[in-house]
Amino acid sequence: MAVIYELIKECKQSGARLGRVHTPHGIIETPTFMPVGTQATVKTMSPEELKNMDAQIILSNTYHLFLRPGHDIVKRAGGLHKFMNWDRPILTDSGGFQVFSLSEMRKITEEGVQFRSHLNGDKLFLSPEKAMEIQNALGSDIMMAFDECPPYPAEYDYVKKSLERTTRWAERCLNSHARPHDQALFAIVQGGMHKDLRIQSATDLTSMDFPGYAIGGLSVGEPKHLMYDVLDHTVPILPANKPRYLMGVGSPDALIEGSIRGIDMFDCVLPTRIARNGTTMTSQGRLVIRNAKFTDDFGPLDPECSCYTCQNYSRAYIRHLLKADETFGIRLTTYHNLHFLLELMRNVRQAIMEDRLLDFRDSFFTSYGLHDNDKGF
Ligand SMILES: [Zn+2]
């Protein structure tokens, strides 16, 4: 099997698990956060910088690489690792989420999804088999089954029909996957916010014995307590000896709450996206560095942060760069935000090791300025 999960220990206080995911391109220590490299690059960061902040795995998007430059080009370059000069693990999504969120004129049938490219309007088709062909060409360590992510809110009957089709698509993915020896295919549990549908999806998919399982269709606009409810009744159905991945979640509170509920892997564009707007995550909460009050603040973004940005540059300088539209400013905020979440996950892993993740959550929430409402309790 291409990917093997090794459980190191469970936190006696919270039930969270500390583990390792072994892949063909190295080991991922979990729980982990995966920076998103949509177009085969984590926006503004070089692979060397990602290594310096100790990113263990990154995610890239099948939909975008299928449209441009085309998976055939990436394959001829020697695969995605070689194409982008990243020799650590890569996870690729299935393209499903982008087809449903970005493209126009979608038509879903049992066979697949017909859509128009958001770049040039070309008529294109994605199916479970095509999503496997593309990801096999990209050569990611972990690839995702083609799924439909229903919007929130959605009618019960639609969500049920959709998840049953996603399960049939998952089986077709399994059957057409050409490289199971060196690429691990994860299935995606759907079912909206409905407990019985989540249980149905998780039960049907786990009977097919995938090397890992993702929980999709969350963080799509629902209140956080609903997301945590779904995790509470979905995670226990997933096999303990396989990695569990919560898709599209990357706010600090949700990373901690997800870890407490037994999630091993997370990804989100949040840290890189807000960095480009000049918003940073710090040990004292969110900080909008464009604000006028930082004009002559010569301290670091976050006094408690050990990252390259905070060791070398001031709030006043970063604010100046952003106001002047200098790309270096975006690089500095991006570096800091990614480092902040990677460091948060290092602290989460340490807290699991020492059986004190609930205590860590409470002290983090207090200093970050989160209240009970945000926690979803
Ligand atoms: Zn920093």
Side-chain angles (χ1 to χ4, degrees), residues 305 307 309-310 336:
C305 182
C307 87
T309 300
C310 293
H336 166 81

Side-chain angles (χ1 to χ4, degrees), residues 26-48:
I27 293 170
I28 307 156
E29 295 185 49
T30 59
T32 195
F33 176 77
M34 304 184 278
V36 178
T38 303
Q39 312 267 13
T41 172
V42 175
K43 286 193 197 309
T44 76
M45 292 288 104
S46 70
E48 290 71 25

Side-chain angles (χ1 to χ4, degrees), residues 98-133:
Q98 276 77 24
V99 165
F100 294 105
S101 61
L102 285 180
S103 67
E104 286 168 12
M105 313 242 320
R106 297 177 301 270
K107 191 166 169 261
I108 310 172
T109 60
E110 185 64 28
E111 186 53 27
V113 187
Q114 198 173 70
F115 61 98
R116 285 192 184 276
S117 156
H118 77 289
L119 294 176
N120 58 14
D122 279 359
K123 216 171 172 181
L124 297 166
F125 186 72
L126 268 181
S127 62
E129 290 76 17
K130 188 73 187 173
M132 294 300 100
E133 178 199 321

Side-chain angles (χ1 to χ4, degrees), residues 1 150 153 161 215 230 299 322:
M1 209 174 260
K161 246 174 69 183
I215 301 175
V230 168
L322 292 175

Side-chain angles (χ1 to χ4, degrees), residues 288-322:
V288 181
I289 196 66
R290 282 175 174 272
N291 284 350
K293 65 177 175 184
F294 300 120
T295 306
D296 59 352
D297 185 336
F298 304 109
L301 271 182
D302 183 352
E304 290 180 27
C305 182
S306 62
C307 87
Y308 166 76
T309 300
C310 293
Q311 293 308 302
N312 295 291
Y313 303 97
S314 68
R315 291 172 172 181
Y317 179 62
I318 295 166
R319 176 177 185 275
H320 156 69
L321 292 178
L322 292 175

